[in-house]
Amino acid sequence: MLIREAAADDWPRIWPFWHRIVAAGETYTWDPGTSQEAARALWMAPGKRVYVAEDATGAVVGSAYVTPNYGGPASRVANAGFMVDPDHAGRGIGRALAEHILAAAKADGYRGMVFNAVVETNPAVTLWTALGFTILGTVPDAYEHPRHGRVGLHIMYKAL
């Protein structure tokens, strides 16, 4: 697997799984009806470093970004987003993207990374804790999950 910085022309290969994941409404707090144009603006926004994971055939099977979570004097705390094509789940792509993003964030001078709203039923919570993130708190009943009803949103942090 190759992880590289995304180019503008990667978006058409990210969009199908981005849309599938967000439309499912199980792991991201973005509107499940987000248009392709709005999604591109969210994921590929200026100031974000966006990466893609390609498999041996050159297919884009995942994407991630890193960006400052806060501004000004707190701009050295990063935020990130991760998506793996559900058709390629369970192959270590998420872990590889996470390790890459954590290393890139540290190399860019970030001192920590925070996730503001991790749906508590998201299987990635296991990955984040395995990579050293801690749950700082949980906003109870904050997320309307399509299968589990109201669930909490974790705020997670890792020093870099």
Side-chain angles (χ1 to χ4, degrees), residues 39-95:
R40 182 182 183 129
L42 285 167
W43 199 258
M44 306 285 282
K48 287 184 176 177
R49 289 190 62 192
V50 182
Y51 296 86
V52 292
E54 293 181 332
D55 68 9
T57 70
V60 173
V61 294
S63 183
Y65 68 79
V66 64
T67 190
N69 191 64
Y70 311 109
S75 65
R76 294 290 83 198
V77 176
N79 177 258
F82 300 85
M83 293 208 183
V84 173
D85 184 333
D87 292 337
H88 297 275
R91 299 180 186 173
I93 298 164
R95 178 177 285 276

Short mmCIF file of all heavy atoms in Angstrom, two decimals, residues 39-95:
data_model
loop_
_atom_site.label_atom_id
_atom_site.label_comp_id
_atom_site.label_asym_id
_atom_site.label_seq_id
_atom_site.Cartn_x
_atom_site.Cartn_y
_atom_site.Cartn_z
N ALA A 39 -19.02 18.26 0.21
CA ALA A 39 -18.11 17.25 0.76
C ALA A 39 -16.66 17.55 0.36
O ALA A 39 -15.75 17.47 1.19
CB ALA A 39 -18.51 15.86 0.27
N ARG A 40 -16.48 17.91 -0.87
CA ARG A 40 -15.12 18.26 -1.33
C ARG A 40 -14.59 19.45 -0.54
O ARG A 40 -13.43 19.47 -0.13
CB ARG A 40 -15.11 18.55 -2.83
CG ARG A 40 -13.72 18.87 -3.34
CD ARG A 40 -13.73 19.21 -4.83
NE ARG A 40 -12.37 19.44 -5.25
CZ ARG A 40 -11.80 18.87 -6.29
NH1 ARG A 40 -12.47 18.02 -7.03
NH2 ARG A 40 -10.55 19.13 -6.59
N ALA A 41 -15.44 20.44 -0.32
CA ALA A 41 -15.02 21.62 0.45
C ALA A 41 -14.66 21.25 1.88
O ALA A 41 -13.73 21.81 2.46
CB ALA A 41 -16.13 22.68 0.43
N LEU A 42 -15.38 20.28 2.47
CA LEU A 42 -15.07 19.83 3.83
C LEU A 42 -13.76 19.04 3.88
O LEU A 42 -12.93 19.26 4.75
CB LEU A 42 -16.19 18.92 4.36
CG LEU A 42 -17.48 19.57 4.79
CD1 LEU A 42 -18.57 18.52 4.97
CD2 LEU A 42 -17.27 20.34 6.08
N TRP A 43 -13.60 18.10 2.97
CA TRP A 43 -12.47 17.16 3.02
C TRP A 43 -11.18 17.75 2.45
O TRP A 43 -10.10 17.50 2.97
CB TRP A 43 -12.84 15.86 2.30
CG TRP A 43 -11.98 14.71 2.67
CD1 TRP A 43 -10.94 14.19 1.95
CD2 TRP A 43 -12.06 13.92 3.86
NE1 TRP A 43 -10.38 13.12 2.62
CE2 TRP A 43 -11.05 12.94 3.80
CE3 TRP A 43 -12.89 13.95 4.98
CZ2 TRP A 43 -10.86 12.00 4.80
CZ3 TRP A 43 -12.70 13.00 5.97
CH2 TRP A 43 -11.69 12.04 5.87
N MET A 44 -11.31 18.51 1.37
CA MET A 44 -10.13 18.98 0.63
C MET A 44 -9.88 20.48 0.86
O MET A 44 -9.25 21.12 0.04
CB MET A 44 -10.32 18.71 -0.87
CG MET A 44 -10.65 17.28 -1.24
SD MET A 44 -9.26 16.15 -1.15
CE MET A 44 -8.38 16.53 -2.65
N ALA A 45 -10.37 21.02 1.96
CA ALA A 45 -10.28 22.45 2.22
C ALA A 45 -8.83 22.94 2.25
O ALA A 45 -7.93 22.21 2.68
CB ALA A 45 -10.95 22.78 3.55
N PRO A 46 -8.62 24.17 1.81
CA PRO A 46 -7.28 24.76 1.94
C PRO A 46 -6.84 24.72 3.41
O PRO A 46 -7.65 24.91 4.31
CB PRO A 46 -7.46 26.20 1.46
CG PRO A 46 -8.69 26.15 0.60
CD PRO A 46 -9.57 25.09 1.19
N GLY A 47 -5.58 24.46 3.63
CA GLY A 47 -5.05 24.38 4.99
C GLY A 47 -5.02 22.96 5.53
O GLY A 47 -4.35 22.69 6.52
N LYS A 48 -5.75 22.05 4.90
CA LYS A 48 -5.70 20.65 5.30
C LYS A 48 -4.66 19.93 4.45
O LYS A 48 -4.56 20.18 3.25
CB LYS A 48 -7.06 19.96 5.08
CG LYS A 48 -8.12 20.37 6.06
CD LYS A 48 -9.40 19.57 5.84
CE LYS A 48 -10.42 19.93 6.91
NZ LYS A 48 -11.70 19.24 6.71
N ARG A 49 -3.90 19.06 5.09
CA ARG A 49 -3.01 18.16 4.35
C ARG A 49 -3.77 16.86 4.19
O ARG A 49 -4.06 16.18 5.17
CB ARG A 49 -1.70 17.95 5.08
CG ARG A 49 -0.85 19.21 5.04
CD ARG A 49 0.54 19.02 5.54
NE ARG A 49 1.26 18.06 4.72
CZ ARG A 49 2.43 17.53 5.07
NH1 ARG A 49 3.00 17.87 6.21
NH2 ARG A 49 3.03 16.67 4.30
N VAL A 50 -4.11 16.55 2.95
CA VAL A 50 -4.94 15.38 2.64
C VAL A 50 -4.05 14.30 2.03
O VAL A 50 -3.18 14.59 1.20
CB VAL A 50 -6.08 15.76 1.68
CG1 VAL A 50 -6.97 14.55 1.40
CG2 VAL A 50 -6.91 16.91 2.24
N TYR A 51 -4.31 13.08 2.45
CA TYR A 51 -3.55 11.92 1.97
C TYR A 51 -4.53 10.88 1.42
O TYR A 51 -5.69 10.84 1.81
CB TYR A 51 -2.76 11.29 3.13
CG TYR A 51 -1.72 12.21 3.70
CD1 TYR A 51 -2.05 13.12 4.70
CD2 TYR A 51 -0.41 12.18 3.24
CE1 TYR A 51 -1.11 13.99 5.21
CE2 TYR A 51 0.55 13.05 3.76
CZ TYR A 51 0.19 13.95 4.75
OH TYR A 51 1.13 14.80 5.26
N VAL A 52 -4.01 10.05 0.53
CA VAL A 52 -4.77 8.90 0.06
C VAL A 52 -3.92 7.65 0.24
O VAL A 52 -2.69 7.71 0.22
CB VAL A 52 -5.21 9.02 -1.42
CG1 VAL A 52 -6.24 10.13 -1.59
CG2 VAL A 52 -4.03 9.22 -2.35
N ALA A 53 -4.62 6.53 0.43
CA ALA A 53 -3.98 5.22 0.47
C ALA A 53 -4.38 4.50 -0.81
O ALA A 53 -5.57 4.43 -1.15
CB ALA A 53 -4.45 4.43 1.68
N GLU A 54 -3.38 4.01 -1.52
CA GLU A 54 -3.62 3.26 -2.75
C GLU A 54 -3.21 1.81 -2.54
O GLU A 54 -2.18 1.54 -1.91
CB GLU A 54 -2.80 3.83 -3.91
CG GLU A 54 -3.20 5.20 -4.34
CD GLU A 54 -2.38 5.71 -5.52
OE1 GLU A 54 -1.21 5.29 -5.68
OE2 GLU A 54 -2.89 6.54 -6.27
N ASP A 55 -4.01 0.90 -3.09
CA ASP A 55 -3.62 -0.51 -3.03
C ASP A 55 -2.66 -0.82 -4.17
O ASP A 55 -2.25 0.08 -4.93
CB ASP A 55 -4.85 -1.42 -3.02
CG ASP A 55 -5.63 -1.43 -4.32
OD1 ASP A 55 -5.15 -0.87 -5.34
OD2 ASP A 55 -6.72 -2.03 -4.33
N ALA A 56 -2.28 -2.08 -4.31
CA ALA A 56 -1.29 -2.48 -5.31
C ALA A 56 -1.74 -2.19 -6.74
O ALA A 56 -0.91 -2.07 -7.65
CB ALA A 56 -0.96 -3.96 -5.15
N THR A 57 -3.05 -2.08 -6.96
CA THR A 57 -3.57 -1.79 -8.31
C THR A 57 -3.64 -0.29 -8.60
O THR A 57 -4.00 0.10 -9.70
CB THR A 57 -4.97 -2.39 -8.50
OG1 THR A 57 -5.92 -1.66 -7.70
CG2 THR A 57 -5.00 -3.87 -8.13
N GLY A 58 -3.37 0.53 -7.60
CA GLY A 58 -3.47 1.97 -7.75
C GLY A 58 -4.83 2.53 -7.39
O GLY A 58 -5.06 3.74 -7.50
N ALA A 59 -5.73 1.68 -6.92
CA ALA A 59 -7.05 2.14 -6.50
C ALA A 59 -6.94 2.88 -5.17
O ALA A 59 -6.21 2.46 -4.27
CB ALA A 59 -8.01 0.96 -6.35
N VAL A 60 -7.66 3.98 -5.05
CA VAL A 60 -7.70 4.72 -3.78
C VAL A 60 -8.66 3.98 -2.87
O VAL A 60 -9.84 3.84 -3.16
CB VAL A 60 -8.14 6.19 -3.99
CG1 VAL A 60 -8.35 6.88 -2.66
CG2 VAL A 60 -7.09 6.93 -4.82
N VAL A 61 -8.13 3.49 -1.74
CA VAL A 61 -8.92 2.68 -0.81
C VAL A 61 -9.13 3.37 0.54
O VAL A 61 -9.81 2.84 1.41
CB VAL A 61 -8.28 1.29 -0.61
CG1 VAL A 61 -8.32 0.49 -1.91
CG2 VAL A 61 -6.84 1.41 -0.10
N GLY A 62 -8.56 4.54 0.70
CA GLY A 62 -8.73 5.29 1.94
C GLY A 62 -8.19 6.69 1.77
O GLY A 62 -7.45 6.98 0.83
N SER A 63 -8.58 7.55 2.70
CA SER A 63 -8.09 8.92 2.69
C SER A 63 -8.10 9.45 4.12
O SER A 63 -8.87 8.98 4.96
CB SER A 63 -8.96 9.80 1.78
OG SER A 63 -8.45 11.12 1.72
N ALA A 64 -7.25 10.41 4.35
CA ALA A 64 -7.18 11.06 5.67
C ALA A 64 -6.66 12.47 5.48
O ALA A 64 -6.05 12.80 4.47
CB ALA A 64 -6.25 10.28 6.60
N TYR A 65 -6.94 13.31 6.48
CA TYR A 65 -6.40 14.66 6.46
C TYR A 65 -5.93 15.01 7.86
O TYR A 65 -6.34 14.42 8.85
CB TYR A 65 -7.42 15.69 5.97
CG TYR A 65 -8.59 15.92 6.90
CD1 TYR A 65 -8.47 16.73 8.03
CD2 TYR A 65 -9.82 15.34 6.65
CE1 TYR A 65 -9.53 16.93 8.89
CE2 TYR A 65 -10.89 15.54 7.51
CZ TYR A 65 -10.74 16.33 8.62
OH TYR A 65 -11.80 16.53 9.48
N VAL A 66 -5.05 16.01 7.91
CA VAL A 66 -4.62 16.60 9.17
C VAL A 66 -4.71 18.12 9.00
O VAL A 66 -4.43 18.65 7.92
CB VAL A 66 -3.20 16.13 9.59
CG1 VAL A 66 -2.14 16.58 8.61
CG2 VAL A 66 -2.87 16.57 11.00
N THR A 67 -5.15 18.78 10.06
CA THR A 67 -5.36 20.22 10.04
C THR A 67 -5.28 20.75 11.46
O THR A 67 -5.47 19.98 12.41
CB THR A 67 -6.74 20.55 9.40
OG1 THR A 67 -6.85 21.94 9.17
CG2 THR A 67 -7.88 20.08 10.27
N PRO A 68 -5.00 22.02 11.65
CA PRO A 68 -5.07 22.54 13.01
C PRO A 68 -6.50 22.41 13.55
O PRO A 68 -7.47 22.65 12.84
CB PRO A 68 -4.70 24.02 12.86
CG PRO A 68 -3.97 24.12 11.57
CD PRO A 68 -4.57 23.05 10.69
N ASN A 69 -6.63 21.99 14.80
CA ASN A 69 -7.95 21.91 15.41
C ASN A 69 -8.41 23.27 15.91
O ASN A 69 -9.59 23.57 15.91
CB ASN A 69 -7.94 20.91 16.57
CG ASN A 69 -9.34 20.60 17.05
OD1 ASN A 69 -10.14 20.04 16.31
ND2 ASN A 69 -9.66 20.97 18.28
N TYR A 70 -7.47 24.07 16.36
CA TYR A 70 -7.74 25.40 16.88
C TYR A 70 -6.90 26.41 16.11
O TYR A 70 -6.02 26.02 15.34
CB TYR A 70 -7.39 25.50 18.37
CG TYR A 70 -7.93 24.39 19.24
CD1 TYR A 70 -7.09 23.42 19.77
CD2 TYR A 70 -9.29 24.31 19.53
CE1 TYR A 70 -7.59 22.40 20.57
CE2 TYR A 70 -9.79 23.29 20.33
CZ TYR A 70 -8.94 22.34 20.85
OH TYR A 70 -9.45 21.34 21.64
N GLY A 71 -7.11 27.66 16.37
CA GLY A 71 -6.31 28.70 15.74
C GLY A 71 -5.39 29.38 16.73
O GLY A 71 -5.34 29.02 17.91
N GLY A 72 -4.67 30.36 16.25
CA GLY A 72 -3.83 31.20 17.10
C GLY A 72 -2.87 30.43 17.97
O GLY A 72 -2.21 29.50 17.51
N PRO A 73 -2.78 30.80 19.25
CA PRO A 73 -1.82 30.18 20.15
C PRO A 73 -2.04 28.68 20.38
O PRO A 73 -1.18 28.00 20.91
CB PRO A 73 -2.01 30.95 21.46
CG PRO A 73 -2.65 32.23 21.09
CD PRO A 73 -3.49 31.93 19.89
N ALA A 74 -3.18 28.16 19.98
CA ALA A 74 -3.48 26.73 20.15
C ALA A 74 -3.37 25.96 18.83
O ALA A 74 -3.79 24.80 18.76
CB ALA A 74 -4.87 26.55 20.75
N SER A 75 -2.80 26.59 17.81
CA SER A 75 -2.76 25.97 16.49
C SER A 75 -1.82 24.78 16.37
O SER A 75 -1.77 24.13 15.33
CB SER A 75 -2.41 27.01 15.43
OG SER A 75 -1.10 27.49 15.65
N ARG A 76 -1.10 24.47 17.42
CA ARG A 76 -0.19 23.31 17.38
C ARG A 76 -0.89 22.03 17.86
O ARG A 76 -0.26 21.01 18.05
CB ARG A 76 1.07 23.56 18.22
CG ARG A 76 1.94 24.68 17.66
CD ARG A 76 2.65 24.35 16.34
NE ARG A 76 1.80 24.54 15.17
CZ ARG A 76 1.98 24.04 13.97
NH1 ARG A 76 2.99 23.28 13.71
NH2 ARG A 76 1.16 24.26 12.98
N VAL A 77 -2.20 22.08 18.02
CA VAL A 77 -2.99 20.89 18.31
C VAL A 77 -3.74 20.55 17.03
O VAL A 77 -4.49 21.36 16.49
CB VAL A 77 -3.97 21.11 19.48
CG1 VAL A 77 -4.85 19.88 19.68
CG2 VAL A 77 -3.21 21.43 20.75
N ALA A 78 -3.51 19.35 16.54
CA ALA A 78 -4.08 18.92 15.26
C ALA A 78 -5.43 18.26 15.44
O ALA A 78 -5.81 17.81 16.53
CB ALA A 78 -3.12 17.93 14.59
N ASN A 79 -6.12 18.18 14.34
CA ASN A 79 -7.33 17.39 14.19
C ASN A 79 -7.13 16.57 12.92
O ASN A 79 -6.31 16.93 12.08
CB ASN A 79 -8.55 18.30 14.05
CG ASN A 79 -9.83 17.52 13.83
OD1 ASN A 79 -10.32 17.43 12.71
ND2 ASN A 79 -10.36 16.97 14.89
N ALA A 80 -7.82 15.48 12.80
CA ALA A 80 -7.69 14.64 11.61
C ALA A 80 -9.01 13.95 11.32
O ALA A 80 -9.86 13.82 12.19
CB ALA A 80 -6.57 13.61 11.80
N GLY A 81 -9.15 13.52 10.09
CA GLY A 81 -10.29 12.72 9.68
C GLY A 81 -9.80 11.55 8.86
O GLY A 81 -8.79 11.67 8.16
N PHE A 82 -10.49 10.44 8.96
CA PHE A 82 -10.07 9.21 8.30
C PHE A 82 -11.27 8.52 7.66
O PHE A 82 -12.33 8.42 8.29
CB PHE A 82 -9.47 8.22 9.31
CG PHE A 82 -8.27 8.76 10.03
CD1 PHE A 82 -8.42 9.55 11.16
CD2 PHE A 82 -7.00 8.51 9.56
CE1 PHE A 82 -7.33 10.06 11.83
CE2 PHE A 82 -5.90 9.01 10.22
CZ PHE A 82 -6.05 9.79 11.36
N MET A 83 -11.08 8.00 6.46
CA MET A 83 -12.11 7.19 5.82
C MET A 83 -11.43 6.08 5.05
O MET A 83 -10.47 6.31 4.31
CB MET A 83 -12.96 8.02 4.86
CG MET A 83 -13.81 9.04 5.57
SD MET A 83 -15.27 9.37 4.61
CE MET A 83 -16.00 10.65 5.62
N VAL A 84 -11.97 4.88 5.23
CA VAL A 84 -11.50 3.72 4.49
C VAL A 84 -12.69 3.17 3.73
O VAL A 84 -13.78 3.01 4.29
CB VAL A 84 -10.91 2.64 5.43
CG1 VAL A 84 -10.58 1.36 4.66
CG2 VAL A 84 -9.68 3.17 6.14
N ASP A 85 -12.49 2.91 2.45
CA ASP A 85 -13.55 2.32 1.64
C ASP A 85 -14.07 1.07 2.34
O ASP A 85 -13.29 0.16 2.64
CB ASP A 85 -12.98 1.96 0.26
CG ASP A 85 -14.01 1.44 -0.71
OD1 ASP A 85 -15.03 0.86 -0.27
OD2 ASP A 85 -13.78 1.58 -1.92
N PRO A 86 -15.36 1.02 2.65
CA PRO A 86 -15.91 -0.16 3.37
C PRO A 86 -15.63 -1.48 2.67
O PRO A 86 -15.55 -2.52 3.32
CB PRO A 86 -17.41 0.14 3.44
CG PRO A 86 -17.51 1.62 3.35
CD PRO A 86 -16.38 2.05 2.45
N ASP A 87 -15.46 -1.46 1.35
CA ASP A 87 -15.15 -2.69 0.62
C ASP A 87 -13.74 -3.19 0.91
O ASP A 87 -13.39 -4.30 0.54
CB ASP A 87 -15.33 -2.49 -0.88
CG ASP A 87 -16.78 -2.28 -1.28
OD1 ASP A 87 -17.68 -2.70 -0.51
OD2 ASP A 87 -17.01 -1.68 -2.35
N HIS A 88 -12.93 -2.36 1.57
CA HIS A 88 -11.54 -2.73 1.89
C HIS A 88 -11.27 -2.71 3.39
O HIS A 88 -10.11 -2.69 3.81
CB HIS A 88 -10.59 -1.78 1.15
CG HIS A 88 -10.69 -1.87 -0.34
ND1 HIS A 88 -10.00 -2.81 -1.07
CD2 HIS A 88 -11.46 -1.18 -1.21
CE1 HIS A 88 -10.31 -2.67 -2.34
NE2 HIS A 88 -11.20 -1.68 -2.46
N ALA A 89 -12.32 -2.70 4.19
CA ALA A 89 -12.17 -2.68 5.64
C ALA A 89 -11.52 -3.96 6.14
O ALA A 89 -11.61 -5.01 5.50
CB ALA A 89 -13.54 -2.50 6.30
N GLY A 90 -10.86 -3.86 7.30
CA GLY A 90 -10.25 -5.03 7.92
C GLY A 90 -8.92 -5.43 7.34
O GLY A 90 -8.42 -6.52 7.65
N ARG A 91 -8.31 -4.58 6.55
CA ARG A 91 -7.03 -4.90 5.90
C ARG A 91 -5.87 -4.07 6.44
O ARG A 91 -4.80 -4.06 5.85
CB ARG A 91 -7.15 -4.72 4.40
CG ARG A 91 -8.19 -5.62 3.78
CD ARG A 91 -8.30 -5.42 2.30
NE ARG A 91 -9.40 -6.20 1.78
CZ ARG A 91 -9.83 -6.13 0.54
NH1 ARG A 91 -9.24 -5.34 -0.32
NH2 ARG A 91 -10.85 -6.88 0.15
N GLY A 92 -6.10 -3.33 7.52
CA GLY A 92 -5.04 -2.52 8.11
C GLY A 92 -4.86 -1.16 7.48
O GLY A 92 -3.92 -0.44 7.83
N ILE A 93 -5.76 -0.77 6.59
CA ILE A 93 -5.63 0.52 5.92
C ILE A 93 -5.82 1.67 6.91
O ILE A 93 -5.06 2.64 6.90
CB ILE A 93 -6.63 0.62 4.75
CG1 ILE A 93 -6.32 -0.46 3.71
CG2 ILE A 93 -6.62 2.01 4.12
CD1 ILE A 93 -7.44 -0.73 2.72
N GLY A 94 -6.82 1.56 7.77
CA GLY A 94 -7.07 2.60 8.76
C GLY A 94 -5.89 2.79 9.69
O GLY A 94 -5.48 3.92 9.98
N ARG A 95 -5.32 1.69 10.16
CA ARG A 95 -4.14 1.77 11.04
C ARG A 95 -2.97 2.41 10.30
O ARG A 95 -2.29 3.29 10.84
CB ARG A 95 -3.74 0.39 11.56
CG ARG A 95 -2.48 0.45 12.44
CD ARG A 95 -2.12 -0.90 13.01
NE ARG A 95 -3.01 -1.27 14.08
CZ ARG A 95 -2.87 -0.88 15.36
NH1 ARG A 95 -1.86 -0.11 15.71
NH2 ARG A 95 -3.72 -1.27 16.28
#
